[in-house]
Amino acid sequence: MLIVVTPYLVITLGIDHYGIYVSGLALCSLYIGILNFDFNLTVVKKIARIKNDAEMLNDAINEVVSVKLLLLVALVVLAVIVYFIVPSFFERPQLYFNFTLLLVANYITFDWLLLGLNSFKFLSLLKFLKFGLFASGMFLWVHSPDDFVLLPLIDAFAVFMVGIGVSIWMFRKFHWNLKLYTLAHCFNYIVKNRDAFFNLNLPSHFGNILILVTSHFGSLIQVGLLQIVLKYSGGFAMLSNMLSMVLYPKNAKEQGLFNFSEKSLLVIGVISSLLMVGSIPFIKWVFPDLVSQFEFNQLQYAVLIAVPVPFCIALISIYGTNGLILLNKDRIYFYATSIAIGAMLLLSSFFTTLLFFAPIIIYTISRALHGYISYVWYRSIKKD
């Protein structure tokens, strides 16, 4: 996605319009994170245990569908309120409406089911199909800076089409009998699993939170550059994230796999960061026309600052997701995440306006702090 989509958008939209789009996408991503609640943790573990029991699997699917419906209604109401409160959104009604459609389309996503069923090849195929639909729409309809308002609509269409296809597959394969649970049951689920929700969403939305803070304290150029670096470092951390998703349900189901997970993710984390260093001379090839908007050296420095990020994400995957959470120390992992995000917010409020590269430095520091705290507390608990 980095090599295909990001350069095209930055060059076509310009860094300012790209920054506006990224700011809206960050808020929408937070909404989507709430909509998906804790399903990629709690429900994945549950489905890994009950996937051979058709009746229990059907109940688990209906429970998620019911809770997501309640959350979707609440989030749409919240989105309407935010629209009238925040001037930057009120000034761009079409963009905000299209992002709301993207939120609604994410109601019919079933990554949690495929992860629990260990259908990783199918999940990867769906992600590739979704990306293909989005990229095709982007190249067809986005040709000028003003076309940035169409991007969330194109994304919503891609998500919706893939979601409809997965829904049809579910009805046929599992003989899914749709049944909505009561509001009381849904509220009880939310309260019961709130710790897992925070543990899933806060770590995965470091970048989105920082983008929103930077859009408030900094400039659109800083927002755009931050998003480029997030995409770039995220591309090198992708293998760690994918392996973590593969190992999580296996570690939840089988004891004794942690040592293998630890060694594998550490090696991949180190290699990913080293590859990121080696890729710096080729940035000009990835972003051939970006030099007119940034000095090439600035872009190199920005990526160089974020080099530790893939390794830090591997640490978080090992000692957080596959460590503290699987030891049922959800609250401790929540504290580790909160400390890292609190430090990120505090540093951002002081330094974003003073230093051009401050958002990228702060992001790298917060990721490193999160990984270090997770490691220290995991080792401490294992010793006890």
Side-chain angles (χ1 to χ4, degrees):
M1 182 173 181
L2 173 74
I3 296 176
V4 177
V5 171
T6 305
Y8 180 83
L9 290 180
V10 173
I11 294 164
T12 304
L13 304 180
I15 196 65
D16 288 344
H17 284 84
Y18 182 68
I20 295 170
Y21 163 69
V22 164
S23 298
L25 181 63
L27 180 61
C28 184
S29 296
L30 290 176
Y31 287 159
I32 293 170
I34 297 172
L35 179 64
N36 290 326
F37 204 62
D38 71 324
F39 307 133
N40 284 354
L41 281 179
T42 306
V43 179
V44 166
K45 286 195 292 185
K46 183 177 182 180
I47 290 177
R49 295 194 303 267
I50 66 169
K51 62 183 179 181
N52 295 321
D53 188 318
E55 184 176 351
M56 293 182 69
L57 184 60
N58 195 78
D59 290 341
I61 294 172
N62 285 331
E63 185 175 49
V64 173
V65 169
S66 301
V67 174
K68 283 189 77 171
L69 182 59
L70 174 62
L71 291 171
L72 178 63
V73 172
L75 285 167
V76 170
V77 172
L78 176 62
V80 172
I81 295 172
V82 170
Y83 170 74
F84 287 104
I85 292 176
V86 180
S88 59
F89 295 134
F90 190 74
E91 293 167 1
R92 302 180 180 89
Q94 184 180 354
L95 178 67
Y96 196 75
F97 177 74
N98 289 344
F99 273 123
T100 304
L101 291 180
L102 177 57
L103 169 65
V104 174
N106 272 271
Y107 175 71
I108 52 172
T109 55
F110 300 94
D111 291 5
W112 45 272
L113 176 63
L114 299 175
L115 287 170
L117 295 172
N118 291 329
S119 300
F120 301 110
K121 291 182 180 179
F122 187 32
L123 181 59
S124 299
L125 177 63
L126 292 176
K127 288 184 180 295
F128 181 78
L129 177 60
K130 191 187 305 178
F131 167 72
L133 289 171
F134 174 78
S136 299
M138 178 191 70
F139 288 125
L140 282 172
W141 291 301
V142 179
H143 304 293
S144 69
D146 292 337
D147 291 337
F148 75 99
V149 298
L150 298 176
L151 288 169
L153 183 62
I154 296 169
D155 203 356
F157 173 78
V159 171
F160 180 77
M161 294 303 296
V162 172
I164 289 295
V166 175
S167 300
I168 294 172
W169 171 77
M170 286 170 57
F171 274 108
R172 290 182 175 179
K173 182 174 180 64
F174 302 112
H175 304 290
W176 179 24
N177 180 24
L178 178 61
K179 175 185 175 184
L180 295 178
Y181 281 79
T182 63
L183 282 176
H185 182 95
C186 295
F187 278 119
N188 288 335
Y189 180 95
I190 292 171
V191 172
K192 179 182 177 182
N193 295 287
R194 61 186 183 277
D195 287 344
F197 160 70
F198 286 115
N199 286 329
L200 175 65
N201 281 279
L202 288 180
S204 60
H205 288 289
F206 266 72
N208 292 322
I209 294 170
L210 187 56
I211 284 172
L212 291 174
V213 175
T214 304
S215 66
H216 178 73
F217 290 106
S219 66
L220 289 175
I221 293 178
Q222 284 178 302
V223 172
L225 182 61
L226 174 61
Q227 176 70 352
I228 291 171
V229 173
L230 290 175
K231 292 288 187 182
Y232 201 86
S233 60
F236 286 94
M238 186 184 301
L239 187 55
S240 293
N241 289 328
M242 291 177 63
L243 183 59
S244 180
M245 286 193 300
V246 171
L247 293 172
Y248 180 77
K250 293 182 181 294
N251 284 324
K253 189 176 180 181
E254 302 176 35
Q255 300 296 321
L257 290 178
F258 178 79
N259 288 338
F260 171 77
S261 302
E262 182 182 32
K263 292 176 182 177
S264 301
L265 286 167
L266 280 175
V267 169
I268 289 173
V270 171
I271 292 175
S272 298
S273 286
L274 290 175
L275 288 174
M276 189 169 168
V277 174
S279 72
I280 290 176
F282 302 98
I283 294 175
K284 194 171 184 178
W285 177 77
V286 179
F287 297 95
D289 297 322
L290 199 58
V291 181
S292 60
Q293 301 181 54
F294 290 117
E295 290 293 335
F296 180 55
N297 289 339
Q298 285 184 319
L299 197 56
Q300 282 186 313
Y301 292 148
V303 173
L304 185 62
I305 291 167
V307 160
V309 169
F311 176 71
C312 296
I313 290 176
L315 288 180
I316 296 165
S317 297
I318 298 166
Y319 303 109
T321 307
N322 287 281
L324 292 171
I325 290 179
L326 286 180
L327 290 177
N328 294 319
K329 301 298 181 182
D330 299 47
R331 185 60 58 89
I332 292 176
Y333 184 58
F334 170 72
Y335 292 151
T337 306
S338 299
I339 291 171
I341 290 181
M344 182 178 72
L345 295 176
L346 185 64
L347 292 171
S348 297
S349 63
F350 281 106
F351 295 107
T352 299
T353 57
L354 301 176
L355 184 63
F356 182 72
F357 291 115
I360 300 163
I361 296 171
I362 292 166
Y363 177 71
T364 305
I365 291 172
S366 63
R367 283 296 195 183
L369 181 62
H370 191 204
Y372 176 74
I373 295 174
S374 298
Y375 167 76
V376 171
W377 284 355
Y378 175 82
R379 289 302 182 194
S380 176
I381 290 170
K382 288 296 286 184
K383 286 181 181 179
D384 295 338

